[in-house]
Amino acid sequence: MKDMDPASSGEPLRTHLRNSKSRRDPVDAFRGIYWFESIRMRTGLPSAYAMERRFEPEAFKEEGTTRYHRNKWSAYGNGKRIPRALLIKRVEMQLPGSAQLINHVLWDILRVRLPVLENIDRWINELEPSTQHLIFEISARKAGLGRQRRHVDQRPLEMLGRRPTLDALACLTLLAREAAAQGRPDIAFHAVPRMLKILLVHASTAPMARIASTLFDFYRENIFALGVFEGKTYSLEDYPFEEILISLNRFIARCEEREGVTIDWADALQSKLSLLSGRYGIGILMATAPRATSFAQTA
């Protein structure tokens, strides 16, 4: 029995979540599908069936003329099931770095039911060292005072916003949640454009494409809405998210055609972020920047 590949079915993640009978945290679907799609991209395997064949061959049984298998990978591919730690470890042995994708601290930070102030120190420690470096005072360490948090203003937000990494997105998300919990929604407000740019950059890549729109909706409702400054907030209901994703990929395709080379993953991420930051023209920056609206307009 060959299962249908959920990623090739064209059914968006939001449909799976809406029709699911379970109340699973949507973050689990995000992390599971991102892991699945990253593995599929790295291996070049065409379907959940082929992936199960490679990573869990013992799942396939024969009884007489009947063949069957557990079909778990199809569930991983549509976000209805999360792989166990043993399987994650098995895949990691063949594809180093894959475990970090499903266990990335970003997913815990997005669990809005978890109180940010109680968990922030642990979450910060799970960020890569170069990202942590941006939110700690270097002078304090040199003076023998140990690690001391940098005062959060627009400077660390700007530095983080220049990095097209999941760790930078996670850190910005963490700082926005922390600021809102501390009664500083203006900091969360200023973090929104930076988070949005990095989210766009990653959402336009293959591993995140299937969760892109639903993840944006999640950010819009749970993270971006935390920011308030001078009576304004980012509602973003009409933000052309999917159109911008298409434009970002067309931009990379044109660059590759012009240069006659394939742009690697890291360079493509940085190029997309540079485009959204105005390096190739202020018009693009203005067209993609989120618009703030007053409470009266969003009520």
Side-chain angles (χ1 to χ4, degrees):
M1 178 179 69
K2 186 172 182 178
D3 58 287
M4 179 181 290
D5 180 10
S8 64
S9 66
E11 189 173 0
L13 174 59
R14 58 165 60 96
T15 302
H16 286 301
L17 293 180
R18 184 169 58 246
N19 293 340
S20 175
K21 295 181 180 179
S22 70
R23 296 299 178 186
R24 181 189 297 275
D25 190 326
V27 174
D28 283 322
F30 297 150
R31 61 194 282 260
I33 292 175
Y34 185 57
W35 176 80
F36 176 93
E37 292 295 338
S38 297
I39 292 169
R40 181 157 69 165
M41 184 185 74
R42 288 178 63 178
T43 60
L45 294 171
S47 66
Y49 179 89
M51 293 167 74
E52 191 165 4
R53 272 284 188 190
R54 169 166 172 172
F55 294 108
E56 293 190 283
E58 73 280 3
F60 293 79
K61 307 290 183 180
E62 292 188 18
E63 292 184 358
T65 59
T66 302
R67 298 180 179 181
Y68 65 92
H69 69 285
R70 298 172 189 169
N71 205 23
K72 292 189 301 181
W73 281 75
S74 180
Y76 301 151
N78 59 34
K80 293 181 178 179
R81 184 171 184 167
I82 297 299
R84 295 182 182 274
L86 187 62
L87 177 57
I88 294 173
K89 183 177 180 180
R90 176 186 288 192
V91 175
E92 173 70 13
M93 292 177 67
Q94 296 187 44
L95 302 175
S98 59
Q100 200 269 346
L101 300 177
I102 195 169
N103 294 323
H104 198 282
V105 66
L106 172 66
W107 310 123
D108 273 351
I109 293 170
L110 287 178
R111 297 185 194 277
V112 292
R113 59 181 174 76
L114 297 180
V116 61
L117 298 182
E118 294 178 18
N119 291 283
I120 192 165
D121 290 337
R122 174 173 62 84
W123 289 341
I124 288 175
N125 286 332
E126 291 184 37
L127 294 169
E128 62 181 0
S130 64
T131 302
Q132 293 184 41
H133 177 78
L134 298 180
I135 58 174
F136 286 102
E137 292 283 2
I138 300 176
S139 57
R141 182 179 300 174
K142 288 183 177 179
L145 300 177
R147 295 205 314 173
Q148 291 189 1
R149 287 279 304 279
R150 183 192 301 273
H151 175 69
V152 180
D153 53 23
Q154 292 203 50
R155 185 185 177 198
L157 301 183
E158 181 62 27
M159 291 189 294
L160 287 163
R162 296 172 186 166
R163 295 185 168 213
T165 66
L166 281 185
D167 280 78
L169 178 59
C171 194
L172 284 165
T173 307
L174 181 153
L175 293 178
R177 288 194 59 195
E178 178 192 42
Q182 293 176 334
R184 301 181 64 198
D186 58 310
I187 294 299
F189 179 90
H190 293 307
V192 170
R194 281 89 177 185
M195 287 188 283
L196 179 58
K197 284 192 292 186
I198 300 175
L199 181 60
L200 282 163
V201 165
H202 281 274
S204 61
T205 61
M208 198 173 279
R210 287 187 53 237
I211 64 172
S213 295
T214 311
L215 184 57
F216 169 71
D217 289 343
F218 184 92
Y219 260 90
R220 179 174 54 81
E221 296 168 7
N222 296 282
I223 307 299
F224 297 157
L226 298 175
V228 180
F229 181 64
E230 296 182 345
K232 293 185 177 181
T233 188
Y234 292 105
S235 54
L236 301 177
E237 281 84 357
D238 298 323
Y239 187 77
F241 185 79
E242 296 184 11
E243 290 84 349
I244 293 174
L245 299 186
I246 294 172
S247 296
L248 286 173
N249 284 325
R250 285 176 177 168
F251 167 73
I252 294 298
R254 286 196 298 268
C255 290
E256 291 180 329
E257 182 178 358
R258 183 175 64 249
E259 301 296 331
V261 298
T262 299
I263 299 176
D264 68 22
W265 174 271
D267 287 343
L269 293 179
Q270 187 61 63
S271 295
K272 291 177 182 180
L273 185 60
S274 295
L275 179 69
L276 294 173
S277 299
R279 179 177 177 182
Y280 300 97
I282 193 67
I284 297 171
L285 174 62
M286 298 300 293
T288 58
R291 301 289 189 268
T293 55
S294 67
F295 284 122
Q297 292 173 290
T298 57

